[in-house]
Amino acid sequence: MSGSSSALALAARLRALTDDALIALLHARPVREGGIRDVFDLAEALLDPASVQAALTRLDRTSLAVLAAVVLLGQPDAGPIAGRVARPVAEVRPVLDRLAELALVAPLDGGVSVPEELAQVLRGWPALGLPSPEELIDAPPPAALEAVAGDARIAADRAAGERAFAAVTSVGELVSALEREPARMLQRGGVALPDWRRMLTATGAKDDAQLEAVLELAQGAGLVSPADGAWRVTPEVDAWAGATRVGRWTALASGWLDRVPAELQEQLRARAGARWGDGLLEYLDWLYPAGGDWLPERTRSVVRSAELLGIVGASVPSTAGTALLAEGADAAAAAVAPLFPPDVRQVYIQHDLSIIAPGPLAADVDRRLRETAEVESVGLASSYRVTAASVTRALTTGATIDELRALLAEVSLTGIPQPLDYLLTETAARFGSLRVGALDPEPGGPEANAHSYVRADDAALVGQLVIDQTLGPLALRRAGEHRAVSRFDAETLYWALVDARYPAVFEDDAGAIRPVRRATARSLPVEAAADPAERIVARIRDAAADQPEESGAAWNARQLELAIRGKLQVTVVVRMPDGSEVPYLLEPAALAGGRLRARDRRADIERTLPLSHIVAVEPTATPSAG
């Protein structure tokens, strides 16, 4: 079938598809929107060699072998195809159905055919270093999988436990960092550099690639999501953070597996008990011979995340990784649990105000300590430090100093050292001594043009704020013995004082202390762009509806225009004056003024037919001469 004839036949099939089927096709085989007005344009776009090649890069060996068999055999049905590829007919039929959904094969005269454009692409593969149609069918797969020996599995499990623990810790720190302050996303893509560096520090990632993997794990588990111009935590975070460490790892591992592309999942499951490494890449290269543009990087990304989680290490799947791939999340959880060290619930509080955990802290203890102390390091032995700012933060949330003492006494193996007791007492005494609030001043008054205030009973403290050079950008000015005002908003003033280590609290109009979360730059909500596939389908339907009464004539005219351009023979069915319908085998030459001029190949005469009398145009498989 010639190229233009292929486009005619494909346009007819596309026209018969539902909107949902058309959209699904365009999701599987995206095309450029420009210039696509109707199904004829879409058919030509799908048959473009670049589009055909892009579709073939995503097909596995079985699908490509079936296509190659159709190219080599002509117009076979499923039986001869199955014989050529040495597979049962029951396996070949679903493959043909899927290829038809991708507009790569079509039923024709009791068999199936491929467009000439696709056949030409496949025949040209050897020049690109890709398998020929015969090789797609006959080339054997690489050597059998290499089984993992017992010693290698033991070593993999030992390393897997450390990596799994570190992954849970890194994701937890990423989530905590984004809870405190979302990470701003740039319009051109990526994360703002200061926020990226902040996440690198929080997670302890050694490089950008590792941080990207941690972010992917968190997103896969549904813990973070890009929204409103920034990466933010989701409501699922609370349940995840409160789960056991094994439960948190299981959620990350399940999310990782769900995000593994379907074309890779089956291969990883097949290698649940075998080495990955070069053997995996070699097999995937055979399985997807045209996948060089996307497969290697995607595979490396999947393996990188698997290594981070302890699913695989040094190309060897761990016991937990094997269980995840072969049996599921519950089996993986049971396998990984013995690899994690037990949680501890008590810590050592030292005279320098540091807190040392002798092992991984239980989630609830860690969460309570973070409300009172600053995190210095996390891992098997985490460390924290109590500061005036951390105690003030805890008091701001509504905790009392007695509650903080009770918490520290409960978790401490060494009691509360005297320096810590002194810090608690002094901070409680100073708490609320500086109060920040919002202003809505009257024009012309002493606080005109000010938007916030800070007040204190200690007039000397207010004077210190006004002359403090670190607070100079706030342009504080005295508005009374115990009060200063600023032209900046109240939250900006509050966080500037907190960052300068002043014991500031935020109060509302009634004077009640309120907790404040640090604001982050927010982008205006951007309306999600319409699906390109949906736009194309809508445009095609609109074009067909422009002339509803003439849609049949318009459809016939477009087929005839394509036949004229491709110098094709077509069968034209004409309604005669007596109501009968007569088919003519014609080679259309021109279409103008509502009339078709064509060469009748059977009668060897030229005919001129009114377009209004043409009821159907059907492509023929034989191209015209010349």
Side-chain angles (χ1 to χ4, degrees), residues 45 97 180 212 327 514:
D97 290 342
R180 291 191 298 272
E212 289 173 359
E327 303 175 59
R514 294 284 182 263

Side-chain angles (χ1 to χ4, degrees), residues 57 62 77 111 391 448 604 626:
T57 63
T62 300
D77 61 21
V391 174
D604 195 24

Side-chain angles (χ1 to χ4, degrees), residues 258-433:
D258 289 342
R259 287 170 68 90
V260 172
E263 57 266 17
L264 295 183
Q265 279 200 27
E266 182 180 349
Q267 308 312 318
L268 296 183
R269 288 194 168 97
R271 290 179 175 265
R275 289 184 179 273
W276 293 8
D278 293 339
L280 173 62
L281 293 175
E282 182 183 355
Y283 182 78
L284 290 173
D285 185 57
W286 175 86
L287 188 65
Y288 293 92
D293 291 341
W294 63 273
L295 188 60
E297 178 52 38
R298 179 167 291 193
T299 303
R300 282 192 290 268
S301 176
V302 166
V303 173
R304 184 166 55 239
S305 297
E307 289 176 340
L308 195 66
L309 278 170
I311 291 170
V312 67
S315 301
V316 177
S318 65
T319 300
T322 297
L324 175 69
L325 293 168
E327 303 175 59
D330 291 341
V336 83
L339 305 179
F340 281 177
D343 288 349
V344 301
R345 301 192 63 83
Q346 290 192 291
V347 298
Y348 295 101
I349 301 181
Q350 305 190 101
H351 283 72
D352 63 356
L353 306 180
S354 64
I355 299 176
I356 307 298
L361 270 180
D364 61 322
V365 178
D366 174 72
R367 188 165 56 251
R368 292 166 68 195
L369 273 181
R370 287 171 184 260
E371 294 172 353
T372 308
E374 309 289 353
V375 179
E376 291 194 327
S377 66
V378 293
L380 289 173
S382 301
S383 64
Y384 310 78
R385 185 173 299 277
V386 183
T387 66
S390 68
V391 174
T392 299
R393 184 180 66 239
L395 294 175
T396 301
T397 64
T400 67
I401 204 66
D402 290 337
E403 290 172 341
L404 300 186
R405 277 198 175 91
L407 165 64
L408 295 171
E410 175 190 341
V411 302
S412 176
L413 292 165
T414 53
I416 298 181
Q418 186 175 9
L420 176 56
D421 186 69
Y422 176 76
L423 175 68
L424 294 174
T425 301
E426 183 185 51
T427 304
R430 297 176 63 196
F431 180 68
S433 58

Side-chain angles (χ1 to χ4, degrees), residues 192-206:
L193 185 57
D195 290 326
W196 188 257
R197 288 174 174 166
R198 178 169 57 88
M199 292 193 294
L200 273 170
T201 301
T203 60
K206 62 183 180 181

Side-chain angles (χ1 to χ4, degrees), residues 144-165:
L145 307 183
E146 179 185 355
V148 176
D151 291 344
R153 179 62 59 82
I154 293 172
D157 283 350
R158 187 180 303 116
E162 297 174 1
R163 288 195 299 272
F165 180 91

Side-chain angles (χ1 to χ4, degrees), residues 316-588:
V316 177
S318 65
T319 300
T322 297
L324 175 69
L325 293 168
E327 303 175 59
D330 291 341
V336 83
L339 305 179
F340 281 177
D343 288 349
V344 301
R345 301 192 63 83
Q346 290 192 291
V347 298
Y348 295 101
I349 301 181
Q350 305 190 101
H351 283 72
D352 63 356
L353 306 180
S354 64
I355 299 176
I356 307 298
L361 270 180
D364 61 322
V365 178
D366 174 72
R367 188 165 56 251
R368 292 166 68 195
L369 273 181
R370 287 171 184 260
E371 294 172 353
T372 308
E374 309 289 353
V375 179
E376 291 194 327
S377 66
V378 293
L380 289 173
S382 301
S383 64
Y384 310 78
R385 185 173 299 277
V386 183
T387 66
S390 68
V391 174
T392 299
R393 184 180 66 239
L395 294 175
T396 301
T397 64
T400 67
I401 204 66
D402 290 337
E403 290 172 341
L404 300 186
R405 277 198 175 91
L407 165 64
L408 295 171
E410 175 190 341
V411 302
S412 176
L413 292 165
T414 53
I416 298 181
Q418 186 175 9
L420 176 56
D421 186 69
Y422 176 76
L423 175 68
L424 294 174
T425 301
E426 183 185 51
T427 304
R430 297 176 63 196
F431 180 68
S433 58
L434 279 178
R435 295 184 171 236
V436 176
L439 270 178
D440 187 15
E442 296 181 3
E447 298 180 350
N449 302 320
H451 297 284
S452 60
Y453 67 85
V454 54
R455 65 183 180 89
D457 293 336
D458 185 349
L461 180 56
V462 175
Q464 179 183 338
L465 298 178
V466 173
I467 64 173
D468 189 332
Q469 292 185 355
T470 62
L471 302 176
L474 294 174
L476 283 167
R477 70 177 192 272
R478 294 293 282 261
E481 185 178 4
H482 301 283
R483 187 179 178 95
V485 295
S486 170
R487 60 186 173 85
F488 291 92
D489 63 87
E491 290 193 13
T492 299
L493 173 58
Y494 169 76
W495 286 112
L497 294 174
V498 169
D499 292 341
R501 300 193 178 281
Y502 284 100
V505 296
F506 194 92
E507 66 179 6
D508 60 17
D509 294 342
I513 295 175
R514 294 284 182 263
V516 180
R517 295 183 73 107
R518 193 182 292 268
T520 182
R522 294 169 64 92
S523 301
L524 292 175
V526 178
E527 185 177 349
D531 184 347
E534 294 181 358
R535 286 200 297 263
I536 291 173
V537 172
R539 190 180 308 133
I540 288 172
R541 299 310 189 208
D542 289 345
D546 280 346
Q547 295 177 313
E549 295 180 0
E550 300 293 334
S551 58
W555 168 255
N556 291 334
R558 284 291 279 133
Q559 292 188 90
L560 292 170
E561 288 170 358
L562 192 58
I564 292 168
R565 189 163 72 241
K567 297 183 178 180
L568 299 177
Q569 290 182 7
V570 292
T571 298
V572 175
V573 180
V574 179
R575 181 178 291 112
M576 307 307 288
D578 62 1
S580 63
E581 295 182 354
V582 178
Y584 293 98
L585 180 62
L586 303 178
E587 180 184 328

Side-chain angles (χ1 to χ4, degrees), residues 152-224:
R153 179 62 59 82
I154 293 172
D157 283 350
R158 187 180 303 116
E162 297 174 1
R163 288 195 299 272
F165 180 91
V168 171
T169 301
S170 293
V171 173
E173 294 308 307
L174 174 68
V175 165
S176 295
L178 295 181
E179 277 187 312
R180 291 191 298 272
E181 183 176 357
R184 293 164 295 156
M185 299 173 65
L186 303 175
Q187 288 187 347
R188 63 178 181 274
V191 176
L193 185 57
D195 290 326
W196 188 257
R197 288 174 174 166
R198 178 169 57 88
M199 292 193 294
L200 273 170
T201 301
T203 60
K206 62 183 180 181
D207 52 32
D208 290 345
Q210 185 172 342
L211 177 55
E212 289 173 359
V214 171
L215 189 61
E216 287 175 3
L217 290 177
Q219 185 181 22
L223 307 178
V224 301

